[in-house]
């Protein structure tokens, strides 16, 4: 490790290629997109972020920002640039009487929940504990509490933001409200979020986790049951429906109920799934909310193999039978490393100002290619390409509000389609004010207005 003269006052660490910790520090969850930056700056605070940004611009270096490192697009890494690493900023300060907490820009969902549960409170997160909450909440963030309390982004009260110019801004409903609108859904475009104040909610007394698996001819019937639960279920349920191939190449579907309501209500809603088809495996069980949040964890590591994902939205206003037929038509296109997941996009109405994100209720559909051998890259890419072409050729899909958290390929046309013409133009105007040179472009990027 060595110091760069322009960063001599840094309180954190500077890592360069050849330093003992450099190789481990540059790893991100999507190993397919791990780069080799010239510098990794592990910031100890806001002043370090400002110094790193000044240095990057003076030297003409590409900038990536790392929070949890789980972004599927690989935007927490680059080649030859600088990574502003927030992983030392994993602090959490709970204000239980106010049902809120301030958290550092590197805090992960599990960090926050670990501090809040002793107060009988929890934040809105995704469905795993290892994902960075800052990145999640600036790009929607859907999880078990979303049907009751909205997206993770809906539950941000205030941001601390460092801009490209090095300004440190507090952004909230009353302080720079136009930027508050933009940060909740397109946030990484406007600066480095070094801290957030988030709203907390009562800890569910009990949850039902585990899963029900269906196979063979029952896959279609189970799809109808899952869709019924996603569309008509109570606010206490956030079901996830996962498709894949078994060892013989036959499709299976597994439904994870993710129920956070009272036991009798959970039993009724989960029993209804069993009326559509008989599961070949049923390991649904009661558990604590913390256990539910950890049931899909990747083991806590920052390396998860090679990934290629695509995500679309199927609105509930569409014809459900046609939509379900589309889902089932994708199964013959699967390879051995393909998975597909559906979840409920039905965020609760929230008080306060709207964010930039669309809120059309529906089903999120994500297709995942996950593999380990780089020699298989071309094959896996081709499988996802063919599935994606089928989805978009159907005319049934829209862009998903969670796209920036799950899409691995950036397409400017799809970014514009997600936000809509008027909102996209508004984002571009704000970008021109706060980041006119598009320094923060390693993200689901909105370019500055001309």
């Amino acid at each position: 490790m060595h110091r760069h003269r322009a960063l001599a006052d840094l309180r954190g660490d500077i890592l360069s290629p050849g330093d003992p910790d450099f190789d481990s520090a540059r790893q991100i969850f999507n190993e397919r997109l791990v780069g080799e930056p010239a510098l990794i700056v592990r910031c100890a605070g806001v002043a370090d972020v400002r110094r790193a940004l000044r240095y990057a611009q003076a030297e003409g270096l590409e900038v990536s920002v790392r929070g949890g490192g789980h972004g599927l697009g690989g935007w927490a890494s680059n080649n030859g640039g600088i990574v502003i690493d927030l992983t030392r900023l994993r602090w959490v300060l709970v204000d239980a009487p106010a049902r809120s907490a301030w958290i550092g820009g590197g805090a992960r969902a599990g960090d926050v929940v670990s501090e809040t549960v002793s107060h009988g409170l929890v934040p809105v997160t995704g469905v795993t504990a290892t994902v960075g909450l800052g990145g999640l909440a600036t790009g929607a963030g859907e999880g078990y509490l979303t049907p009751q309390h909205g997206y993770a982004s809906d539950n941000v009260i205030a941001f601390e933001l460092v801009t490209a110019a090095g300004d440190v801004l507090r952004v909230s409903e009353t302080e720079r409200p136009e930027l508050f609108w933009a940060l909740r859904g397109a946030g990484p475009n406007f600066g480095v979020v070094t801290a957030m104040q988030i709203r907390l909610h009562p800890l569910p007394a009990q949850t039902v986790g585990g899963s029900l698996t269906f196979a063979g001819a029952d896959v279609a019937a189970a799809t109808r049951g899952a869709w019924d639960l996603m569309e008509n279920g109570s606010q206490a349920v956030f079901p996830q429906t996962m498709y894949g191939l078994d060892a013989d190449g036959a499709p299976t579907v597994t439904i994870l109920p993710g129920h956070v309501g009272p036991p009798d209500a959970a039993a009724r809603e989960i029993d209804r799934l069993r009326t559509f088809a008989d599961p070949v495996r049923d390991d649904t069980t009661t558990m604590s909310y913390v256990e539910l949040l950890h049931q899909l964890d990747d083991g806590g590591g920052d390396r998860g193999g090679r990934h290629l994902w695509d995500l679309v939205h199927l609105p509930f206003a569409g014809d459900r039978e046609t939509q379900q037929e589309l889902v089932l038509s994708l199964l013959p296109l699967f390879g051995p490393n393909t998975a597909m997941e559906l979840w409920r996009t039905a965020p609760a109405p929230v008080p306060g100002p709207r964010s930039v994100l669309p809120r059309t209720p529906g089903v999120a559909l994500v297709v995942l290619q996950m593999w380990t051998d780089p020699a298989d890259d071309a094959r896996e890419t081709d499988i996802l390409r063919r599935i994606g072409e089928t989805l978009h050729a159907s005319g049934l899909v829209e862009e998903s509000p969670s796209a920036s958290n799950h899409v691995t390929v950036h397409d400017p046309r799809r970014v514009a389609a997600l936000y809509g013409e008027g909102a996209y133009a508004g984002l571009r105007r704000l970008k021109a004010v706060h980041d006119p040179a598009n320094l923060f472009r390693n993200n689901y990027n909105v370019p500055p207005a001309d």
Side-chain angles (χ1 to χ4, degrees), residues 387-403:
I387 293 174
E389 288 175 351
T390 301
L391 281 169
H392 290 281
S394 72
L396 301 176
V397 302
E398 300 174 349
E399 298 303 324
S400 169
S402 288

Side-chain angles (χ1 to χ4, degrees), residues 193-212:
V193 174
T194 48
M196 300 189 307
Q197 184 185 20
I198 60 173
R199 193 171 291 110
L200 302 176
H201 303 281
L203 173 69
Q206 176 182 291
T207 75
V208 177
S211 62
L212 304 93

Side-chain angles (χ1 to χ4, degrees), residues 37-112:
L39 287 177
I40 299 172
V41 180
R42 285 177 166 166
C43 298
V46 173
D48 283 358
V49 173
R50 297 179 72 197
R51 292 183 183 107
L53 287 173
R54 283 198 300 269
Y55 179 81
Q57 291 174 89
E59 298 295 321
L61 296 176
E62 182 179 4
V63 171
S64 294
V65 180
R66 178 187 180 125
H70 277 62
L72 274 302
W75 293 312
S77 185
N78 63 52
N79 287 303
I82 187 170
V83 173
I84 296 177
D85 188 320
L86 306 180
T87 54
R88 290 182 60 172
L89 305 181
R90 291 178 70 167
W91 54 267
V92 181
L93 180 61
V94 180
D95 184 349
R99 289 191 176 181
S100 70
W102 274 98
I103 67 172
R108 302 187 182 195
D111 300 332
V112 183

Side-chain angles (χ1 to χ4, degrees), residues 93-427:
L93 180 61
V94 180
D95 184 349
R99 289 191 176 181
S100 70
W102 274 98
I103 67 172
R108 302 187 182 195
D111 300 332
V112 183
V113 171
S114 292
E115 296 295 332
T116 63
V117 291
S118 62
H119 300 280
L121 299 168
V122 284
V124 175
T125 71
V127 295
T128 62
T130 55
V131 173
L133 200 50
L136 186 78
T138 53
E142 296 180 87
Y144 300 115
L145 300 181
T146 294
Q148 295 182 51
H149 302 299
Y151 298 127
S153 59
D154 292 330
N155 287 273
V156 179
I157 301 168
F159 296 92
E160 179 182 75
L161 181 77
V162 181
T163 69
D167 298 323
V168 183
L169 306 180
R170 181 181 168 101
V171 181
S172 68
E173 179 179 352
T174 57
E175 300 162 288
R176 301 175 180 85
E178 75 292 339
L179 202 49
F180 189 58
W181 166 81
L183 287 178
R184 293 172 299 139
N189 280 280
F190 299 97
V192 182
V193 174
T194 48
M196 300 189 307
Q197 184 185 20
I198 60 173
R199 193 171 291 110
L200 302 176
H201 303 281
L203 173 69
Q206 176 182 291
T207 75
V208 177
S211 62
L212 304 93
T213 297
F214 304 84
D218 286 336
V219 168
T223 298
R224 292 193 296 273
W227 206 283
D228 178 72
L229 187 59
M230 289 186 290
E231 186 169 3
N232 302 310
S234 71
Q235 287 188 313
V237 64
F238 185 78
Q240 299 167 84
T241 306
M242 300 181 177
Y243 298 81
L245 303 180
D246 65 18
D248 297 321
T252 65
V253 58
T254 298
I255 303 172
L256 292 76
H259 205 292
V260 298
D264 56 342
R268 285 195 301 272
E269 294 199 277
I270 296 170
D271 280 346
R272 180 161 169 75
L273 287 173
R274 300 183 182 100
T275 67
F276 286 85
D278 293 323
V280 295
R281 189 185 70 199
D282 185 345
D283 60 7
T284 54
T285 185
T286 58
M287 58 181 66
S288 71
Y289 183 77
V290 174
E291 290 171 323
L292 181 68
L293 189 62
H294 282 275
Q295 73 171 355
L296 293 178
D297 277 359
D298 52 46
D302 289 333
R303 304 179 69 166
R306 305 176 77 78
H307 292 258
L308 195 62
W309 294 32
D310 199 2
L311 175 68
V312 296
H313 179 74
L314 294 161
F316 284 143
D319 181 274
R320 73 168 69 172
E321 290 187 10
T322 304
Q323 292 169 332
Q324 291 167 24
E325 289 171 2
L326 173 64
V327 169
L328 297 172
S329 75
L330 301 176
L331 300 180
L333 303 177
F334 279 25
N337 298 316
T338 308
M340 179 169 62
E341 182 179 346
L342 312 180
W343 69 78
R344 180 186 197 184
T345 294
V350 293
R354 292 283 297 271
S355 74
V356 68
L357 290 172
R359 305 187 72 85
T360 307
V363 172
L365 185 158
V366 60
V367 182
L368 312 81
Q369 296 297 130
M370 300 177 289
W371 68 103
T372 57
D373 189 346
D376 294 334
D377 285 3
R379 182 189 69 190
E380 303 298 333
T381 300
D382 187 60
I383 291 172
L384 189 76
R385 178 190 58 77
R386 287 186 284 115
I387 293 174
E389 288 175 351
T390 301
L391 281 169
H392 290 281
S394 72
L396 301 176
V397 302
E398 300 174 349
E399 298 303 324
S400 169
S402 288
S404 66
N405 290 334
H406 294 92
V407 172
T408 52
V409 179
H410 174 258
D411 182 337
R413 295 168 299 178
R414 292 183 62 178
V415 179
L418 166 61
Y419 298 115
E421 183 177 355
Y424 186 65
L427 290 172

